[in-house]
Amino acid sequence: MNHEWMKVIIAAFFEVCWVVGLKHADDLWTWTGTVLAIVISFYLLVKSGEKLPVGSAYAVFVGLGTAGTVLSDIVFFGEPFKLEKILLIAVLLAGVIGLKLVEDEKKGEEA
């Protein structure tokens, strides 16, 4: 995994933070953290998009962010665990991993 994909993964982590912050922030400090998470998340996504295919980077970013947000709701905020949700997240992650693999194959053919 190269440096640019690590930026996408870190950006997705901060995406989870700001999405959770949008729901739960209720004072100046939590809103400040939410805004910082937004800035960091999009900065890293934009920087990774300079060297990665934007469509794949964005799909990975959104997929990981969605999975992380659903899992954080279950783990930290008491959302009920539903097998259907976990299976759909698994399908989503399989799509994200598939996109990454297809991108790696395409690079290998070009080299």
Side-chain angles (χ1 to χ4, degrees):
M1 180 173 300
N2 70 25
H3 189 70
E4 301 308 318
W5 284 110
M6 286 303 298
K7 286 180 187 174
V8 174
I9 291 170
I10 295 169
F13 170 78
F14 279 99
E15 181 191 23
V16 172
C17 294
W18 69 256
V19 170
V20 169
L22 289 176
K23 181 175 181 180
H24 298 284
D26 58 0
D27 61 22
L28 178 64
W29 291 110
T30 53
W31 277 112
T32 301
T34 301
V35 170
L36 279 174
I38 291 170
V39 170
I40 292 168
S41 175
F42 281 100
Y43 174 77
L44 290 173
L45 181 62
V46 168
K47 295 307 277 182
S48 68
E50 291 174 353
K51 295 186 180 172
L52 295 173
V54 175
S56 297
Y58 184 69
V60 170
F61 171 76
V62 171
L64 292 177
T66 302
T69 302
V70 170
L71 291 176
S72 69
D73 268 350
I74 292 170
V75 172
F76 300 117
F77 300 108
E79 280 287 318
F81 176 87
K82 291 183 179 175
L83 183 59
E84 299 91 349
K85 268 187 180 179
I86 300 304
L87 290 174
L88 290 171
I89 289 173
V91 169
L92 179 67
L93 290 177
V96 167
I97 291 168
L99 276 174
K100 173 75 173 80
L101 292 175
V102 168
E103 191 60 40
D104 287 345
E105 265 182 34
K106 190 176 171 185
K107 279 186 180 177
E109 292 172 3
E110 291 174 358

